[in-house]
Amino acid sequence: MVKVKVAINGYGTIGKRVADAIRLQPDMELIGVAKTSPNYEAFTAMRKGYKLYTTKENIQKFQNSGINVAGSIEDMIKDSDIIIDATPGGVGANYKKIYQEYGKKAIFQGGEKSDVADVSFSALCNYNDAINKNYIRVVSCNTTGILRVLCTINNFDKIEKVRGTIVRRAADPKEVKKGPINSIVADPARIPSHHAKDVLTVLKGIDIITSALVAPTTLMHLHTLFITTRNKVSKEDLLNILSNTPRILLLNTEKADAESTAEIMEIARDLGRYRNDVPETVIFEDSIYTNGNEIFLMYGVHQESIVVPENIDAIRASLNIMSRDESIRLTNETLKIGKGYLI
Amino acid sequence: MVKVKVAINGYGTIGKRVADAIRLQPDMELIGVAKTSPNYEAFTAMRKGYKLYTTKENIQKFQNSGINVAGSIEDMIKDSDIIIDATPGGVGANYKKIYQEYGKKAIFQGGEKSDVADVSFSALCNYNDAINKNYIRVVSCNTTGILRVLCTINNFDKIEKVRGTIVRRAADPKEVKKGPINSIVADPARIPSHHAKDVLTVLKGIDIITSALVAPTTLMHLHTLFITTRNKVSKEDLLNILSNTPRILLLNTEKADAESTAEIMEIARDLGRYRNDVPETVIFEDSIYTNGNEIFLMYGVHQESIVVPENIDAIRASLNIMSRDESIRLTNETLKIGKGYLI
C-alpha cells in the first residue's frame, strides 16, 4: 500500500496528538512536524523521533537550543501529500496560500473561519461531502461534541429545535497563566454564541441557539442540550442509538458514582489512556430525559483530543482513500476509540 | 410604632445578613441571634452588640471562649414575635415544633422542604399569599433569582415554557474546604434539577425544566434561561419592564467592559457595598435576545445575599404589617437595593 504523506504544521495541543495518531495509521506516513518555538514540546517531539521543521528565520534558534531541524516549513510541505494545519486560530488562513502554491491539500482546525475551506467536517455527520475536497475544516471541539450527538439523533428523528448551554473549561491543562480562577464568565454575554452558527456549517437548516459560559477548570467542557424532535422519542430508543454510535460513550453515573469531568478524566487515567485523552463524547446516561418530543441531555467534551479522529478521517476523505465507514472503523481501531459504556 | 420583635436562629451566611438587615428596619427590633459554635462569627456578632443565645448544653462552652451568652435558644424564642430560621438545611423542620410550642411565627429558608411552611415565598411573585401565614419558606437563592425574572415577565406576557441551565458556584467564599477545585460537576447528572420543582411552589402551572451544574468558583451563580411566552415579545419591551422592576439590575456589559461574576463583585466592592453584597438579580443586558415568542437571557445570582430582602418582606407579610408595595419599598430603601442599571 502506498502511504499518504502527512505533515503537521503546528505542534501544540492538537498537532502533537494528531501526529501520534498519524503514526498509528497503516495507510499514512508522518513526514514531520513544524513548530515556531523550541520549547518542551519540541524536545518531546525529538525524543519520539519526529522530524522537526521550522520557519527559515527560526532554524538557527532551534539549533542553538540543541534541537535538530530537518528543514524549513516549505521543505516539509513540498515533501507531503497533505498538511494538517494545527497552527493557532487565524494563522492557518495565511498558510493556505503556501499550501496552494505547492499544490497541496490541507486540513484546517475550527479556530479558522469556515470560508478557509471547501467544507466544514464532522465524520459522523458529513464525511461524504468532504470526499476529494482540497481544503477541509474540522470544526472546533465544542462543535464536534454537539454535532456527534445532534447528527446521531437527527438520523433517527428529524430535529426541529435545539437550545443549549456550553460551559467551557477556562484553559487547557498546560496553560499556566490563563484564567479565570474564581469567576463564571459569559463568553460572550450575548446570545447566540458562535457554536450554533458553527453547527449550521455542517448540520444545515435546523433551528439552533446556544449560550456559552466559561468556568474555572482545565479538564473538559460540559454541554447541556434541550432538543425538540419532529416525533415523540423514548429514552429507551435514545439509549439504544447512542450506545451503538462510535465515538459516543455513555457513563452510568449511578453505577460509577461519578458525575463530573474530573471523574471522567480519572477513569481515563485509570484505564491507562495515553495522555488520559478521551476523544469520545461522554454522555451522562442518567441525564437523558424525554418529555413528549423533547430530549434533554448533558455530556462532557475533552477539548484536547475530541477532534483528533476527525482530522484522521478528514485526510482519508480529502484523498478519497476509503469509504466513511471504513475510515471511521480504522481510525477508531487504531486509536482505541470506543462506543457503548465508559462505565 | 410598636416594633416587631425578631429573633434569628442560626447565624451563618444568611442569618448574619438578615440580622444586619433587621437592625435597619424602622418597624422591627432584633431580639438576638442564636448560634451553636463559638467561632469568629460569634465574636463579630458580640462586637456588633447583638445578644447571643445558644443551646443549653453549649452555654458553658461559649462562656469559656469568652463570649457572653444572653440565654438559651428557648429564652430567645419566648421573647420574640417571629423567628427567622436560618439553621442549616433540614434543621429548621426540627425547630418548628419548638416555635409551635411557644406559639411563635417563623420564616424558614429554601434548604427546608416546602411542606415545612404554609407557603413558599418570593416577594415580587406572591407577597399577598403569605399575609397572616404563620410559617413561610423563603425559596433558595437560585429559585429567588429565577422567580424574580419569571414573575416579572409572566406579569407582562404569560409564560408557556422555560428551559434553563443553572451554573452553581461550588462553595461560599468562607468555605475553605469545599470543592470542586478543577471540575465541572453535573449536580445532579439528572434532569430536571430541583430548581424547576421549587419554582413551581410559587409560580404555579408553567412548563419549566432546569439542569444544574457546579463550577469551581465561590462568587455567584449564573443562569441561562430560554423562555417561551404566549405572544411575541420585543427586546425593547423587555428592557423597559426589567429596568423598572425593583431587585433587578441590568449590566451593560459592553459599556462596563464586564461580563463575569468576578466583575460584578468588583463593582459592588468599588461601590462600597457592605460585605460587597448584591441582593439584586444582575441581568447581562446584552444577553437579552428575542426570537419570535422566545426570550433568552443570562443573569448572576449572589447566593449569600439575594434572599435577605425576601426574609424581611416575609416578616411583614406574616404579621400583615403593611402592603406588598409598601414592604418592598421600605426594604429596598433601608437596604439600599436598586433597580435600573448597575452600570
Side-chain angles (χ1 to χ4, degrees):
Chain A
M1 176 165 33
V2 179
K3 293 189 178 191
V4 180
K5 293 175 184 166
V6 186
I8 313 274
N9 190 14
Y11 191 76
T13 302
I14 303 301
K16 64 189 183 186
R17 286 174 165 83
V18 176
D20 294 346
I22 298 285
R23 281 237 287 205
L24 296 170
Q25 305 310 310
D27 53 346
M28 297 181 193
E29 179 191 346
L30 182 67
I31 293 299
V33 303
K35 253 191 95 50
T36 53
S37 58
N39 69 356
Y40 65 91
E41 285 167 325
F43 284 98
T44 58
M46 197 167 69
R47 279 205 211 163
K48 287 186 178 200
Y50 294 167
K51 281 208 255 177
L52 264 159
Y53 296 83
T54 189
T55 56
K56 282 182 193 122
E57 52 273 27
N58 273 328
I59 293 178
Q60 196 57 51
K61 187 167 74 175
F62 270 61
Q63 285 174 336
N64 292 347
S65 299
I67 298 166
N68 307 323
V69 177
S72 70
I73 296 184
E74 285 77 7
D75 294 334
M76 179 182 80
I77 294 169
K78 261 185 271 179
D79 284 351
S80 62
D81 298 319
I82 189 165
I83 296 100
I84 295 283
D85 185 291
T87 57
V91 176
N94 295 329
Y95 270 108
K96 186 180 176 186
K97 295 165 205 125
I98 305 176
Y99 308 146
Q100 283 175 314
E101 200 178 302
Y102 290 100
K104 305 294 182 182
K105 295 187 174 216
I107 312 293
F108 296 95
Q109 306 306 312
E112 302 300 320
K113 289 192 183 145
S114 63
D115 63 8
V116 78
D118 306 316
V119 63
S120 287
F121 182 82
S122 178
L124 297 191
C125 297
N126 68 341
Y127 185 98
N128 291 338
D129 295 344
I131 290 176
N132 284 326
K133 292 286 191 298
N134 288 332
Y135 301 105
I136 299 175
R137 171 178 165 268
V138 172
V139 293
S140 71
C141 50
N142 276 313
T143 308
T144 299
I146 298 176
L147 280 168
R148 281 199 195 145
V149 172
L150 294 189
C151 291
T152 302
I153 292 173
N154 195 54
N155 284 339
F156 173 70
D157 190 9
K158 286 289 162 241
I159 290 174
E160 307 246 297
K161 194 165 90 166
V162 180
R163 301 290 178 262
T165 300
I166 291 145
V167 183
R168 298 181 53 213
R169 62 77 180 98
D172 280 344
K174 70 176 185 180
E175 293 173 320
V176 291
K177 288 190 182 175
K178 278 211 180 175
I181 60 169
N182 187 19
S183 185
I184 304 170
V185 184
D187 184 48
R190 210 166 252 98
I191 288 169
S193 69
H194 74 274
H195 306 94
K197 205 176 146 195
D198 208 20
V199 163
L200 291 169
T201 64
V202 174
L203 183 57
K204 285 159 183 149
I206 63 167
D207 173 6
I208 177 167
I209 293 177
T210 51
S211 65
L213 310 172
V214 178
T217 173
T218 63
L219 303 175
M220 296 178 91
H221 306 299
L222 203 152
H223 298 188
T224 167
L225 293 190
F226 307 121
I227 302 164
T228 308
T229 50
R230 193 170 293 172
N231 304 295
K232 198 175 157 172
V233 174
S234 74
K235 179 167 177 173
E236 201 181 1
D237 281 343
L238 270 176
L239 278 175
N240 189 34
I241 301 152
L242 294 168
S243 64
N244 282 297
T245 301
R247 301 190 187 165
I248 290 178
L249 286 176
L250 292 163
L251 174 63
N252 183 325
T253 53
E254 200 157 336
K255 186 170 145 191
D257 190 19
E259 50 182 24
S260 77
T261 57
E263 289 156 323
I264 295 171
M265 284 291 104
E266 188 70 5
I267 293 167
R269 294 170 71 198
D270 287 347
L271 293 174
R273 288 201 175 197
Y274 194 60
R275 292 193 181 95
N276 57 266
D277 283 350
V278 182
E280 300 93 342
T281 305
V282 182
I283 301 178
F284 294 132
E285 181 188 8
D286 301 310
S287 78
I288 301 169
Y289 174 81
T290 58
N291 179 41
N293 62 339
E294 283 189 295
I295 298 166
F296 304 80
L297 45 77
M298 299 185 200
Y299 53 89
V301 169
H302 186 223
Q303 75 279 355
E304 297 170 292
S305 66
I306 193 169
V307 299
V308 173
E310 309 293 324
N311 273 277
I312 302 299
D313 291 327
I315 294 172
R316 295 208 186 91
S318 177
L319 294 156
N320 198 10
I321 297 172
M322 56 181 78
S323 74
R324 170 192 184 278
D325 289 353
E326 286 169 325
S327 177
I328 291 176
R329 195 196 49 73
L330 184 56
T331 305
N332 291 350
E333 188 184 296
T334 50
L335 303 184
K336 298 195 175 68
I337 291 176
K339 72 174 177 182
Y341 280 79
L342 178 61
I343 281 178
Chain B
M1 175 165 37
V2 180
K3 293 192 176 188
V4 179
K5 294 176 185 165
V6 186
I8 312 274
N9 190 13
Y11 191 74
T13 302
I14 303 301
K16 65 189 182 186
R17 286 175 165 83
V18 177
D20 294 346
I22 298 285
R23 282 236 287 203
L24 298 170
Q25 305 310 310
D27 54 346
M28 298 182 193
E29 179 191 346
L30 182 67
I31 292 299
V33 302
K35 253 192 94 53
T36 54
S37 59
N39 70 354
Y40 64 92
E41 285 167 325
F43 284 98
T44 58
M46 197 167 66
R47 279 204 212 165
K48 288 187 177 199
Y50 295 167
K51 282 207 255 177
L52 263 158
Y53 296 82
T54 188
T55 56
K56 282 185 191 118
E57 52 274 24
N58 274 328
I59 292 178
Q60 195 58 52
K61 187 166 73 175
F62 271 59
Q63 285 175 336
N64 292 346
S65 298
I67 298 166
N68 306 324
V69 178
S72 70
I73 296 184
E74 285 77 5
D75 294 334
M76 179 183 80
I77 293 168
K78 261 185 272 180
D79 284 351
S80 64
D81 298 319
I82 189 165
I83 296 101
I84 295 283
D85 185 291
T87 57
V91 176
N94 295 329
Y95 270 108
K96 186 181 176 185
K97 294 167 206 123
I98 304 175
Y99 307 147
Q100 284 176 313
E101 200 178 302
Y102 290 99
K104 304 295 180 181
K105 295 188 172 216
I107 312 294
F108 296 95
Q109 306 306 312
E112 301 300 320
K113 289 192 184 144
S114 63
D115 64 7
V116 78
D118 306 316
V119 63
S120 286
F121 182 82
S122 177
L124 297 190
C125 298
N126 68 340
Y127 185 98
N128 291 339
D129 294 345
I131 289 177
N132 283 326
K133 291 287 191 296
N134 289 331
Y135 301 105
I136 298 175
R137 171 177 165 267
V138 171
V139 293
S140 71
C141 51
N142 277 312
T143 307
T144 299
I146 299 175
L147 280 169
R148 281 199 195 144
V149 172
L150 294 189
C151 292
T152 302
I153 292 173
N154 195 54
N155 284 339
F156 174 70
D157 190 11
K158 286 289 161 242
I159 289 175
E160 308 245 297
K161 195 165 90 166
V162 180
R163 301 291 177 261
T165 300
I166 290 145
V167 183
R168 298 180 55 213
R169 60 78 179 97
D172 280 344
K174 71 176 186 181
E175 294 173 319
V176 291
K177 287 190 181 174
K178 277 211 179 173
I181 61 169
N182 187 19
S183 185
I184 305 170
V185 184
D187 183 48
R190 211 167 250 97
I191 288 169
S193 68
H194 74 275
H195 306 92
K197 205 176 147 196
D198 208 19
V199 163
L200 291 169
T201 64
V202 174
L203 184 57
K204 285 159 183 148
I206 63 167
D207 174 6
I208 177 166
I209 294 177
T210 52
S211 65
L213 309 171
V214 179
T217 173
T218 63
L219 303 176
M220 295 178 93
H221 306 299
L222 203 153
H223 298 188
T224 167
L225 293 190
F226 306 122
I227 301 164
T228 308
T229 49
R230 194 170 292 171
N231 304 295
K232 198 175 157 171
V233 173
S234 75
K235 179 168 178 172
E236 202 181 1
D237 282 342
L238 270 177
L239 279 175
N240 190 33
I241 301 151
L242 294 168
S243 65
N244 282 295
T245 301
R247 302 192 185 164
I248 290 179
L249 285 176
L250 292 163
L251 174 63
N252 183 324
T253 54
E254 199 157 335
K255 186 171 147 192
D257 190 20
E259 51 183 23
S260 77
T261 57
E263 289 156 323
I264 294 171
M265 284 292 103
E266 189 70 5
I267 293 167
R269 295 170 71 198
D270 287 347
L271 293 175
R273 288 202 175 198
Y274 194 59
R275 292 194 181 95
N276 56 267
D277 283 350
V278 182
E280 300 93 343
T281 305
V282 182
I283 301 178
F284 293 132
E285 181 189 9
D286 301 311
S287 78
I288 301 170
Y289 174 81
T290 58
N291 180 41
N293 63 339
E294 283 189 294
I295 299 166
F296 305 80
L297 44 78
M298 300 185 200
Y299 54 88
V301 169
H302 185 223
Q303 74 278 355
E304 297 170 291
S305 65
I306 193 169
V307 299
V308 173
E310 309 294 323
N311 273 276
I312 303 299
D313 290 327
I315 293 172
R316 294 207 186 91
S318 177
L319 294 156
N320 197 12
I321 298 172
M322 56 181 79
S323 74
R324 169 193 186 276
D325 289 353
E326 287 170 323
S327 177
I328 292 176
R329 195 197 48 73
L330 182 57
T331 306
N332 292 350
E333 190 184 296
T334 50
L335 303 184
K336 298 193 176 71
I337 292 177
K339 71 174 179 183
Y341 280 78
L342 178 61
I343 282 179

